[in-house]
Amino acid sequence: MIRESAPAKIILFGEHAVVHGQPAIALPFPALRAHVSISESATELEFRSVDGSLLAAPHLPKKSDPLLLQMLLTVLRRLRIVAPEISVLLYSEIPQACGFGSGAAIATALTRALARHAGRPISAAEVNDIVFETESIFHGTPSGIDNTVIVHERALCFTRGTDPLPVQIDQSFQLLVADSGDRCATHIPVSAVRERLQLHPEGTAVILEDIGAIVNKALRVLASGQPLALGTLMYKNHALLGKLGVSSPLLDRLVSAAGSAGAAGAKLSGAGRGGVVIALVKESGSADVALALQDAGAVQIWNTTIQATN
Ligand code: PMV
């Protein structure tokens, strides 16, 4: 049996502005992964969940999830695999539509597993390119940040149309990742920002540039060995995302609850209008912040250490 997996991701700074050409910083979130396994089968190709339910099968289009069917067909076409007699199983720990890059992680694991099954060596760049194409099915106009950080599984600074740069992190730091429980498909807030840019081009462009400036400052802070100084930048980034119209009352409540409980910084992460909030904490105060986030409505909280890069 062939098994492959890929991690979730979080965006530390710069979501939305990255769609419009600004830089953004993304981190892999390996506490949650999508796993795909492939075994030979006597029947036609089927893509199933580990509980046995059918996700997608080219010969059963009406019973298939349309997005997962398109993902599967895209990967098969790009790998030039025709009518394989295999059973593909998916076990994903990554909640969907909440800023973790669930679709990109599934597509990455699927691409690697199908390439291995076909005996076809595949570079990270090619996996990235295929996953970017599948991302367009879900998001319409993705920047490419999700697939890039998930395929490379390392902290990176991403600007559309350029090679991603490794991010230097001089000292490790701790983040709480809090799920608001609200879900919103990425394309909805992304379209709202695009409309805002059309209606109010100058005001919106200033917000996007301010977010880009925060990302550049954050890169310097990450390399400086004083990661708690990221906190102020996180609050500023969150406020600018609010101005873009992609926060929500619940996300704002989670951010201010984290701040009142002593977090150095907090912001929404990902497309917004739901999904997750990240909070920068000192090890000693993380329990207080976690409790405050729970009281404010978080349905699940992960505590993760972002490791220094050298
Ligand atoms: O997939 P999400 O919810 O993490 O959103 C990705 C980040 C956006 O900047 C909002 C969209 C994009 O394509 O970069």
Side-chain angles (χ1 to χ4, degrees):
M1 186 182 296
I2 287 169
R3 290 174 210 262
E4 289 286 348
S5 75
K9 70 92 195 32
I10 47 180
I11 296 183
L12 190 57
F13 291 100
E15 51 275 271
H16 286 291
V18 69
V19 175
H20 303 279
Q22 298 293 331
I25 301 171
L27 308 169
F29 186 52
L32 299 174
R33 300 187 78 86
H35 304 262
V36 166
S37 66
I38 293 185
S39 47
E40 301 295 337
S41 154
T43 58
E44 288 177 69
L45 169 63
E46 287 185 349
F47 188 19
R48 290 188 179 273
S49 163
V50 276
D51 66 10
S53 57
L54 184 76
L55 299 172
H59 66 290
L60 297 170
K62 288 198 181 128
K63 292 193 175 163
S64 299
D65 173 309
L67 296 177
L68 285 175
L69 180 59
Q70 273 201 64
M71 178 195 283
L72 182 63
L73 292 174
T74 302
V75 176
L76 290 170
R77 172 177 52 76
R78 290 290 302 265
L79 294 173
R80 299 196 173 137
I81 299 175
V82 182
E85 289 187 348
I86 54 175
S87 169
V88 183
L89 280 191
L90 170 70
Y91 170 59
S92 181
E93 301 151 356
I94 310 174
Q96 289 174 359
C98 81
F100 278 134
S102 155
I106 293 171
T108 300
L110 181 66
T111 303
R112 288 179 179 147
L114 284 170
R116 257 181 69 200
H117 180 267
R120 184 183 180 298
I122 189 163
S123 67
E126 195 184 350
V127 176
N128 199 21
D129 200 45
I130 294 173
V131 178
F132 179 71
E133 186 173 338
T134 69
E135 281 283 278
S136 308
I137 302 168
F138 291 96
H139 302 327
T141 53
S143 65
I145 190 168
D146 281 19
N147 47 285
T148 306
V149 67
I150 284 168
V151 168
H152 293 285
E153 202 163 342
R154 61 183 298 181
L156 52 85
C157 178
F158 178 89
T159 307
R160 235 180 149 149
T162 64
D163 287 340
L165 299 171
V167 172
Q168 191 195 334
I169 302 176
D170 249 46
Q171 194 170 323
S172 60
F173 57 96
Q174 214 172 339
L175 288 179
L176 296 182
V177 181
D179 182 359
S180 68
D182 281 352
R183 299 286 176 261
C184 185
T186 301
H187 68 91
I188 296 171
V190 168
S191 305
V193 173
R194 180 159 287 116
E195 271 165 35
R196 196 196 149 94
L197 194 57
Q198 277 158 6
L199 287 173
H200 310 286
E202 279 162 29
T204 308
V206 170
I207 299 173
L208 298 173
E209 279 161 24
D210 286 352
I211 293 175
I214 286 175
V215 171
N216 287 322
K217 279 188 193 149
L219 289 170
R220 291 194 287 276
V221 171
L222 284 164
S224 76
Q226 305 287 329
L228 288 178
L230 292 172
T232 317
L233 297 175
M234 290 171 80
Y235 289 127
K236 283 188 180 155
N237 194 162
H238 182 77
L240 290 166
L241 289 165
K243 281 193 186 173
L244 282 180
V246 299
S247 189
S248 71
L250 176 55
L251 296 176
D252 291 347
R253 200 163 73 229
L254 292 170
V255 167
S256 66
S260 305
K267 64 181 275 292
L268 72 83
S269 176
R273 301 242 177 123
V276 297
V277 157
I278 53 174
L280 177 64
V281 288
K282 289 187 204 141
E283 206 162 335
S284 53
S286 64
D288 291 342
V289 178
L291 283 172
L293 285 165
Q294 207 171 22
D295 283 350
V299 296
Q300 198 168 354
I301 298 168
W302 295 266
N303 192 338
T304 181
T305 302
I306 309 304
Q307 299 292 349
T309 48
N310 44 11

